[in-house]
């Protein structure tokens, strides 16, 4: 097989939590009188909570102290976590369950490589936690995507070399992170439109062909 392991981004790839990030940030931006739309939201894909806030605050003429920024980030996370309460297996992307099952049967090692600090909660709520041999997330990294840290750590946790892993990403920042880690990348969703990844896929089932 071409790869020994697959590292999945979480938000926007495995689970449709990206819409909840958008709604939570929109609530904060509206309250602050800052313009925020889906296009700006695409810049936040794969980017850490604080780095996302910094991008949103670029739309304001006001200055915010570190303490104010901390509070805004906490506020966003608490709105986001309210949305996560209702999360179930139905929030998984189309074909995710069947494909994870197939890839596992093929003998591939599977990991999550996500910037989110809520990753384990999301994996458990959607009942896919058991598929993964490793979870590298926002809690074990210092630098956010496009830095390759999260993916290098995921490969390390799997006991594999970077070149043996394929990354699956929906974010431009994530594709750049995979490339910087010397990993091939399959882009889906927003990232696929940019045609900067090794593969651009329309659905999850195509992953089986790529790794075969
Ligand atoms: P949290 P991913 C990323 O997850 C999201 O795409 C990004 O929008 C979010 O700001 C980031 O996680 C941090 O999430 O606030 O839950 O720690 O795409 O890398 O799986
Ligand atoms: Mg993502």
């Amino acid at each position: 097989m071409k790869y020994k392991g697959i590292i999945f981004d979480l938000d926007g790839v495995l689970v449709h939590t990206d819409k909840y990030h958008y709604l939570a940030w929109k609530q904060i931006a509206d309250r602050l009188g800052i313009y925020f739309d889906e296009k700006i939201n695409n810049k936040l894909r794969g980017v850490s909570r604080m780095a996302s806030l910094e991008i949103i605050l670029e739309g304001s003429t006001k200055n915010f102290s570190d303490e104010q920024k901390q509070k805004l980030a906490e506020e966003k996370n608490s709105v986001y976590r309210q949305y996560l309460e209702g999360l179930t297996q139905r929030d998984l992307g189309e074909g995710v369950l069947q494909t994870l099952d197939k890839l596992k049967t093929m003998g591939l090692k599977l990991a999550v490589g996500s910037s989110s600090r809520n990753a384990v909660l999301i994996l458990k709520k959607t009942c896919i936690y058991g598929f993964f041999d490793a979870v590298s997330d926002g809690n074990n990294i210092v630098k956010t995507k496009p830095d390759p840290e999260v993916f290098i750590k995921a490969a390390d946790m799997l006991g594999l070399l970077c070149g043996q892993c394929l990354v699956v990403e929906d974010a431009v920042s994530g594709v750049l992170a995979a490339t910087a880690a010397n990993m091939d990348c399959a882009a889906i969703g927003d990232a696929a439109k940019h045609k900067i990844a090794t593969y651009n896929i329309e659905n999850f089932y195509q992953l089986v062909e790529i790794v075969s």
Side-chain angles (χ1 to χ4, degrees), residues 9 11 169-170:
D9 171 63
D11 168 76
E169 259 292 347
D170 73 309

Side-chain angles (χ1 to χ4, degrees), residues 9-15 17-18 44-47 113-115 145 168-171 173-174:
D9 171 63
L10 179 65
D11 168 76
V13 167
L14 293 169
V15 191
T17 38
D18 41 349
L44 314 184
R45 288 181 185 274
V47 175
S114 167
S115 300
K145 299 169 188 175
V168 188
E169 259 292 347
D170 73 309
S173 63

